[in-house]
Amino acid sequence: MPDKNQIIHLSDLHIGYQDCGTKAAKIIENIIKYEDPKVSIIIITGDIVERARQAKDFTLALELMARLKQGNFKVLLCPGNHDYGTGFINSRKNAREFRRLFIPEVANFPYLDIFGNTAFIGLDSNEAELHWYDRFFADGELGALQLTKLDKMLNDPQLKDKTKVVYLHHHPFSRLPFHCLKDSQKLKKVIENRIDVLLYGHLHLGLSQNNTWGIKIVLDGGSSTGKRMPEMFGFKIKHRVIDLADFSIVEKNYLGG
Ligand SMILES: [Fe+2]
């Protein structure tokens, strides 16, 4: 298998909420123990912490990211609404702080990484939700500028024969009031039939939605630490490993359940 051909998808760790920090630490240790960093890229689709600007939660989250990097794993992450505030009230100041600490290499979204034959494109689904009048609630909006840049990026000749993976926090198919990606249909127009994998989280559902928008793999990562994912409703903690060689998906549970 060529280098970095496998994606481990994590989402919504919510470090700082109840025992989510302990669970996140266990997940990371088990990934380091059982997975091969030569072939694995870890994508985390936001809500790494429960609340922005909680120093001890940021400290633990940064320690865990550092553990993965020390283990030679490549970590790609995009911000969730909780990373920029409380989950319901966000601010540009919090956004700047989170990005400075967690993703200093990212000047702007969409953000492109290329490994081997795969292009990974991260989006910030909070980007257009930080104005004074719509920074409340848990909606997402990519904004016209980010979508225009994404469209241009997908036309870039260097991406022509690459497998394309797009990841963002907000659930593009949600109709839950105050939790929607407001410009979901505009995103659809840009990526429909043009990318291979779409990954997201936000709703803590963890359900798969394959073959949507002409994309081979479309996956909701749920909450990897199980924040408010009641098993009685059939929501189970799953950690998905996607093999880009054949687009197969293996479900694992790094918590050992
Ligand atoms: Fe979340």
Side-chain angles (χ1 to χ4, degrees):
M1 186 185 282
D3 278 3
K4 308 290 189 195
N5 210 37
Q6 172 174 291
I7 301 168
I8 298 171
H9 181 203
L10 302 178
S11 195
D12 296 76
L13 301 174
H14 286 280
I15 291 166
Y17 178 83
Q18 295 183 358
D19 62 349
C20 287
T22 310
K23 287 179 175 167
K26 188 169 183 187
I27 290 165
I28 302 306
E29 288 312 314
N30 279 333
I31 287 174
I32 291 168
K33 197 167 167 186
Y34 296 116
E35 300 294 347
D36 181 352
K38 280 204 201 103
V39 298
S40 304
I41 281 192
I42 296 160
I43 294 184
I44 308 178
T45 48
D47 282 2
I48 290 120
V49 293
E50 172 66 10
R51 198 180 169 108
R53 298 179 70 80
Q54 291 290 305
K56 76 173 173 22
D57 302 337
F58 267 23
T59 301
L60 176 57
L62 286 165
E63 276 172 19
L64 295 180
M65 296 305 108
R67 282 281 298 139
L68 286 169
K69 283 172 196 166
Q70 282 157 12
N72 291 319
F73 286 93
K74 178 72 187 168
V75 181
L76 305 179
L77 64 87
C78 61
N81 48 311
H82 282 258
D83 300 318
Y84 281 4
T86 63
F88 282 91
I89 305 174
N90 300 334
S91 78
R92 285 194 195 282
K93 191 177 171 195
N94 290 348
R96 278 196 298 273
E97 182 68 355
F98 178 84
R99 286 171 63 157
R100 183 181 72 80
L101 290 170
F102 285 85
I103 42 175
E105 71 279 15
V106 178
N108 288 296
F109 287 96
Y111 187 72
L112 173 67
D113 280 288
I114 296 178
F115 294 98
N117 199 36
T118 307
F120 296 88
I121 302 172
L123 303 177
D124 182 355
S125 52
N126 304 294
E127 177 105 0
E129 278 291 298
L130 296 171
H131 307 293
W132 68 269
Y133 55 87
D134 65 1
R135 66 192 179 90
F136 300 98
F137 307 115
D139 296 303
E141 189 172 5
L142 294 156
L145 181 61
Q146 192 174 187
L147 286 168
T148 303
K149 285 182 183 172
L150 176 62
D151 184 45
K152 203 172 160 195
M153 192 176 272
L154 291 172
N155 280 332
D156 186 331
Q158 70 168 331
L159 267 57
K160 189 170 179 284
D161 297 316
K162 299 267 188 285
T163 299
K164 297 172 196 71
V165 177
V166 171
Y167 57 99
L168 73 163
H169 177 65
H170 283 80
H171 196 300
F173 307 99
S174 169
R175 295 205 169 95
L176 193 66
F178 308 116
H179 288 74
C180 299
L181 182 67
K182 289 175 181 172
D183 46 4
S184 173
Q185 287 306 304
K186 290 177 183 166
L187 174 66
K188 179 185 177 188
K189 276 191 188 156
V190 173
I191 64 175
E192 189 170 31
N193 296 310
R194 292 175 83 191
I195 68 167
D196 302 282
V197 179
L198 178 64
L199 303 175
Y200 48 88
H202 188 49
L203 293 188
H204 303 196
L205 299 178
L207 304 173
S208 304
Q209 298 191 35
N210 288 298
N211 301 315
T212 310
W213 295 358
I215 301 167
K216 290 186 192 84
I217 292 181
V218 179
L219 286 180
D220 170 356
S223 167
S224 298
T225 50
K227 181 192 171 190
R228 292 192 194 137
M229 276 176 61
E231 291 214 12
M232 69 179 101
F233 296 122
F235 299 126
K236 289 196 166 36
I237 295 176
K238 296 173 192 167
H239 306 126
R240 296 193 183 88
V241 181
I242 302 156
D243 189 332
L244 294 172
D246 58 5
F247 296 103
S248 59
I249 301 165
V250 175
E251 291 185 351
K252 299 192 178 183
N253 186 342
Y254 295 111
L255 284 166

